[in-house]
Amino acid sequence: MSLPYRFKARGTGNNAAMAHTTTSVHHHRSTTKVEHKPFKSRFASKSALKDQAKGKIESQRPERGQRKTPHQQVMSKLARRNQAKQLRMHHKDKKEGEELIFQGVDGAAKHIAVVPLSSDINPYSVIKTLNESVDISDSNVSSGTVPVRVDRFRRNLLYLPAKFDLLNALDICKLADWVIFVLDAEQKYGEEEDLFLRSLEGQGITNVTALVINLDQTIPAPKRMRHLTEMNIALGRYFPALDKLSSLDSKSDCSNLVRRICTASTRGIRWRDDRSWMLIEQANWSPQVDETTATTSVTLFGTIRGKALNPDRLVHVPGWGDFRISSIRQVPRQGQKRKAEEMDADEPIKEWKPTADQDDLAELAPEEAEMQDAASTVATTEHKGVLLDDHHYFSDDNSHMPPPPKKLPPGTSNYQAAWFLDDVSDSESDMSDDEDRDGDVAMDAEQESLNAGDGGGMVLTNAEDGGSVMEGKAPSEYPQSEMNLDDDQDDAPLEAEEEARQLAEFRASRRKKEAEEDLEFPDEIELHPDVLARERLAKYRGLKSLRTSEWNHAEDAPYEPAEYKRLLQVPEYRKSYSSVIKESLAGAVLAGTRVEIELRDVPISLQSRAPQPSSMFSLLRHEHKHAVINLNVTLRSDLAEPVKSKDELIVQIGHRRLLINPVFSAAGQTPNDVHKFDRFLHPGRTAIASFTGPLTWGSVPVLIFQRQSPRQSSDGTNPDTIEDTTAPALIDAHTTTQRIPSSSSTPLSPLRLIGTATTLPPSSTRVVAKRLILTGHPYKIHKKLVTVRYMFFTRADVQWFAALPLFTRRGRQGFIKEPLGTHGYFKATFDGRIGPLDAVGVALYKRVWPRPARVWESEGV
């Protein structure tokens, strides 16, 4: 039974073929593009290689198995292995050399900054707990620094307790090898904590770790690990390198933290370690020899850190200033072991003296007598027009100006026009112009009503109307677009009071807040009708292109500051910086040497007025000289209001704090090195801040602060008078004060962090050009010819600025055709038709000079 059924299902003969045909599926071609086989030549030409590349750039990362440099292409595999081994050994030796100064009984102490994030945390109790975890119990110090010898790990530690104060913490953290943040178990990050941590991060910080106190008493045991993880994430927003939080209640965590501090290598701060610096342990003033002398010598004790110290370089003591070194003497180690045969021998004490190459304290270059004509330093007034790029137009002669149009009958050819004299014309009836007036647009409704009352819908200003636009001048070639502006007030279409009223209404409609107006209408100003523009804007000039036009520096000579040419100029910054850094490596006093440094010519007034210093930094060559400093500033995006240019700011550049009035300008590089001046720096934006001050080599992080208005606490006292926020009290134990608990209404710092910056190479040739835009109102439009008002108010001003190019907000370009009347109206021609709601503008520029910086004194906050 199965056999017939099988035959019936499959079929026979043609039926089987049909079954196979019906099961096949038809497929379309995937694409209609036919790719021909490319021709393969034996050698590829340059054009063929360019076609293959199609503008692609070679990848920076080489492919696997490909050698990186041409030198490595000829190196064998063994040589490349040997080179990699030498690099590893060199890196290891460098790290061991940096850690070598901490080894031994008399090794230099590692500086450990203990920074609490609350005013209720006592840093000395934290230090005591850490010492007890490594079996050190004789450290009952409650003020100043805490030196500790950890015999278990054979290291010397110097704890630097800080306070929950911005300036105190900044000064201490810049001297630390490790920073320990002490957090409460229920730590909150408010406005003050955010300012505190962001400032420490922006200054540059070394290795960071954190401790949590009161964890066992506050958090239940099952939730402690999760709570520590959440706290680590919250603090890691400021310090991403933070790996683990330790509990102060756990002895094992504390001992592991001390072991890590003693054995791990420090990352350091680059701008600090490029120089020689020292933590001042003691300062001794020499007795005053004569009461008439205002200076004396001071001896500072400490251990050299960073680079080797050169006695020829100046040193900077924060809070005091820059000084010259008189001598450097080595202090012998107390626990230094000697051989038995050397016990009776006197060990010579090394001493270093400055040489004839010692830097001086001159901030500016010496004055050079220049024999120049007195007239060259005074702004000339013989020109007839404004400066455009590097030429005063309309000042030599009037040969470049087209002749005034002649009165010609309609249909006169050029050949026939040559036979007409300037003062001869046909009948005035032939002067009627039949041009199309459909393009005229009346910009003033009141003016239209006045014209309609006179019996016409348009303004007629030719000779038929009995009025002359300009006395002694030929009528314009566009009489239909002129206003009837005679010197006679009776013939004027607008009275003086009416015109003043319209001007006030026009300007009042656009008047807003200054900062908001700078965003919407940047650099626009409005002239008073009674002020002459050529006198008010005498320092300004025109530029065809702010980016490419050449800046005429000779015109800046009358307005240049007296000390500007005496500033330091660095033509090749990279080469100079490299030579200065190499010179710092050849210092005489090596790092890790305990010394006493004698400074000379220190003012005696600092002994009573200034606090005890905490640190000393060696200056690189030329860092005492003044130059034009440029900072790449980025303002914080959460600020409520912008910062105005030339407002008073406080900047911390490395180890200096300066009071500046910066000039903001646009960032970037231009072919002519001219950059636009910014009146405001708005939140979240970046600009270049320029001022004159002491030079700082390298790319150094900068903190920018603004003074906060003092707010009264709940008890009516000023928080600024409760505690002195001057230099940290690392030496004198009596300078520590008791801080009251902070409240939300009491600012913990008199300064507010508004942004960060980075130093750029100094440049005295960088031109900051302040732009002013005078805007006018299109009063009457006839195709491409426009009558403009409210830009100038006298005929002489129009003639003075006639060479400047015009522009509109919608991108049209034009030029001044001719002045009209005596009230500052003029006709302008544009490259296209403009709308009635458009505004006509002209740009003027003048150079803005950077202002000098002053040394900021913390007592004046």
Side-chain angles (χ1 to χ4, degrees), residues 777-837:
H777 179 54
Y779 180 73
K780 194 174 182 63
I781 302 175
H782 178 73
K783 297 182 179 178
K784 297 182 181 180
L785 187 69
V786 181
T787 301
V788 183
R789 64 175 179 175
Y790 296 161
M791 182 180 292
F792 306 106
F793 298 96
T794 61
R795 179 185 180 86
D797 288 343
V798 178
Q799 294 175 343
W800 178 266
F801 295 100
L804 298 180
L806 302 177
F807 61 90
T808 65
R809 288 181 182 172
R810 300 182 182 180
R812 294 297 183 186
Q813 303 291 329
F815 59 92
I816 297 176
K817 186 72 175 177
E818 59 179 343
L820 296 176
T822 60
H823 295 277
Y825 291 69
F826 62 89
K827 286 193 297 185
T829 303
F830 290 89
D831 57 358
R833 193 180 187 120
I834 69 173
L837 299 180

Side-chain angles (χ1 to χ4, degrees), residues 604-621:
I604 300 178
S605 59
L606 295 177
Q607 187 174 6
S608 58
R609 179 175 58 87
Q612 191 79 352
S614 61
S615 59
M616 184 203 74
F617 292 87
S618 176
L619 301 180
L620 301 177
R621 186 183 286 272

Side-chain angles (χ1 to χ4, degrees), residues 197-304:
L197 294 174
R198 287 187 184 276
S199 301
L200 294 178
E201 178 192 12
Q203 174 185 248
I205 198 167
T206 180
N207 304 56
V208 176
T209 187
L211 274 173
V212 182
I213 64 173
N214 301 328
L215 185 65
D216 295 347
Q217 293 84 358
T218 308
I219 307 300
K223 299 182 180 180
R224 287 173 190 168
M225 293 303 298
R226 181 179 180 85
H227 187 73
L228 284 176
T229 304
E230 293 176 354
M231 294 185 67
N232 192 3
I233 294 174
L235 188 60
R237 292 171 49 245
Y238 302 97
F239 307 102
L242 183 67
D243 55 353
K244 181 184 177 182
L245 267 67
S246 304
S247 175
L248 193 66
D249 299 332
S250 174
K251 185 176 180 180
S252 61
D253 284 0
C254 293
S255 61
N256 289 334
L257 178 61
V258 175
R259 176 184 57 82
R260 182 184 174 192
I261 291 174
C262 292
T263 58
S265 60
T266 59
R267 186 176 63 179
I269 305 174
R270 181 172 181 180
W271 67 264
R272 179 194 68 182
D273 296 335
D274 283 343
R275 297 159 177 83
S276 178
W277 59 279
M278 183 180 73
L279 173 67
I280 300 177
E281 302 175 2
Q282 185 181 357
N284 295 336
W285 289 78
S286 299
Q288 188 175 0
V289 180
D290 190 0
E291 296 181 357
T292 59
T293 59
T295 60
T296 185
S297 60
V298 178
T299 304
L300 306 178
F301 294 86
T303 303
I304 301 297

Side-chain angles (χ1 to χ4, degrees), residues 121-137:
I121 299 176
N122 185 7
Y124 291 98
S125 63
V126 176
I127 296 172
K128 183 178 180 181
T129 305
L130 291 176
N131 291 335
E132 290 176 352
S133 66
V134 289
D135 302 331
I136 299 176
S137 58

Side-chain angles (χ1 to χ4, degrees), residues 386-389 393-394 541-543 774 792 800-806 814-816 842-844:
V386 68
L387 176 67
L388 180 60
D389 289 352
Y393 292 87
F394 311 120
R541 69 184 73 185
L543 290 177
L774 297 178
F792 306 106
W800 178 266
F801 295 100
L804 298 180
L806 302 177
F815 59 92
I816 297 176
V842 61
L844 296 166

Side-chain angles (χ1 to χ4, degrees), residues 685-706:
R685 296 190 178 182
T686 301
I688 304 299
S690 302
F691 61 94
T692 60
L695 171 68
T696 301
W697 291 106
S699 181
V700 179
V702 182
L703 299 179
I704 302 177
F705 299 98
Q706 199 174 41

Side-chain angles (χ1 to χ4, degrees), residues 488-501:
D488 190 359
Q489 296 293 334
D490 297 336
D491 296 333
L494 293 178
E495 297 292 339
E497 293 142 1
E498 179 66 17
E499 190 174 357
R501 185 190 64 81

